[in-house]
Amino acid sequence: MGIVDIEGLGKSFEPGSYALKNVSFSLSRGQILGILGPNGAGKTTLIHLILGLILPTEGNIRVFGELLSPATRTGILKRMNFASNYVFLPQTLTLWENLMVYAIMYEVSEPARRCSEALRMFGLYEMRHKRARTLSSGQMMRLCLAKAMINTPEVLLLDEPTAGLDPEIARRTRRLLVELSRGKGLSVIYTSHNLWEMQEVSDRVLFLKGGKALLEGPSGELIGRYEVKNLEELFFKVLESGR
């Protein structure tokens, strides 16, 4: 059993049409799983299901060995966190105030210390008294990432986390994720359209197309099996063949 176990997961928003269909995988502690697929493949739907923001039509989600349900969701989410390029934090609050709100929500011990650490982690400490509405899109993404680390999560869900970041910050973010995964046992589920980035950080990859899982396994093993040079070549080969 992994730290996250997905079994036969499906989501239908209207009768006869599935955004996600019969997806299964297991994520171990300290692994980074890259979710790949074209727009509309079901990547964001999968993350929203694991967060409990929407309920599955079929299948099960287990996190930390517990079945995710309305009754268990709060306890599970205290040990998880999330960041997305498509979600913004309250614009009228300062960076410090934003993080303090989430630190209190997650019942973080020594919240002020943890807010300082999270802001420094993403190069935002000197901007802590600025209001979020003054941030660029890249700075807002960095604030979202700082928020995602506020509770020292065991599982981190990231939806295109480096989109909009400048190359240096994106590289630092990738290195941080790998460092936390290897050194602290952080488990990460990660979507990105940047295939080079995905190859750099992911231990395993899951290919989705039309809501269905086409392929899942260790990145290096799959590259060797399909006799391609890198994840980009594998991506197009899998999408073209449909398997």
Side-chain angles (χ1 to χ4, degrees), residues 210-238:
K212 296 180 180 179
L214 300 183
L215 190 66
E216 191 269 335
S219 309
E221 181 182 304
L222 294 177
I223 288 171
R225 185 196 308 172
Y226 279 77
E227 299 180 335
V228 293
K229 296 178 181 177
N230 51 53
L231 203 54
E232 182 177 38
E233 287 188 14
L234 178 61
F235 177 82
F236 291 111
K237 191 168 186 176
V238 169

Side-chain angles (χ1 to χ4, degrees), residues 59-240:
N60 294 315
I61 302 169
R62 291 186 180 275
V63 188
F64 312 119
E66 284 194 275
L67 185 66
L68 180 64
S69 69
T72 63
R73 181 175 181 259
T74 298
I76 288 172
L77 289 186
K78 282 185 179 180
R79 301 166 65 185
M80 298 172 61
N81 217 312
F82 165 72
S84 171
N85 187 51
Y86 308 108
V87 176
F88 294 109
L89 300 180
Q91 302 283 295
T92 57
L93 299 183
T94 66
L95 280 65
W96 180 266
E97 289 167 343
N98 262 292
L99 291 198
M100 280 297 290
V101 166
Y102 282 97
I104 292 167
M105 286 174 59
Y106 279 99
E107 299 178 348
V108 171
S109 61
E110 299 184 77
R113 178 186 60 80
R114 188 57 189 158
C115 287
S116 294
E117 290 174 349
L119 288 167
R120 291 183 192 280
M121 193 179 295
F122 293 97
L124 295 171
Y125 186 75
E126 300 304 321
M127 303 172 61
R128 64 192 181 280
H129 298 309
K130 287 191 174 184
R131 297 196 182 278
R133 65 169 174 255
T134 68
L135 300 181
S136 67
S137 59
Q139 290 167 339
M140 177 59 79
M141 188 64 237
R142 286 155 60 191
L143 180 60
C144 289
L145 287 165
K147 185 277 298 181
M149 298 305 301
I150 198 70
N151 60 327
T152 316
E154 297 170 59
V155 174
L156 188 59
L157 305 179
L158 301 175
D159 195 6
E160 298 191 42
T162 59
L165 297 185
D166 66 66
E168 175 58 24
I169 296 295
R171 183 175 67 171
R172 285 172 50 190
T173 300
R174 293 193 298 271
R175 288 179 174 176
L176 176 64
L177 291 175
V178 172
E179 177 185 327
L180 292 171
S181 171
R182 304 291 184 269
K184 304 292 186 181
L186 175 66
S187 302
V188 183
I189 297 177
Y190 184 111
T191 78
S192 177
H193 288 293
N194 186 327
L195 299 176
W196 293 103
E197 173 180 275
M198 192 66 77
Q199 184 167 331
E200 181 181 346
V201 302
S202 62
D203 301 300
R204 304 177 68 85
V205 290
L206 170 68
F207 286 83
L208 295 176
K209 183 180 181 181
K212 296 180 180 179
L214 300 183
L215 190 66
E216 191 269 335
S219 309
E221 181 182 304
L222 294 177
I223 288 171
R225 185 196 308 172
Y226 279 77
E227 299 180 335
V228 293
K229 296 178 181 177
N230 51 53
L231 203 54
E232 182 177 38
E233 287 188 14
L234 178 61
F235 177 82
F236 291 111
K237 191 168 186 176
V238 169
L239 291 187
E240 289 167 5

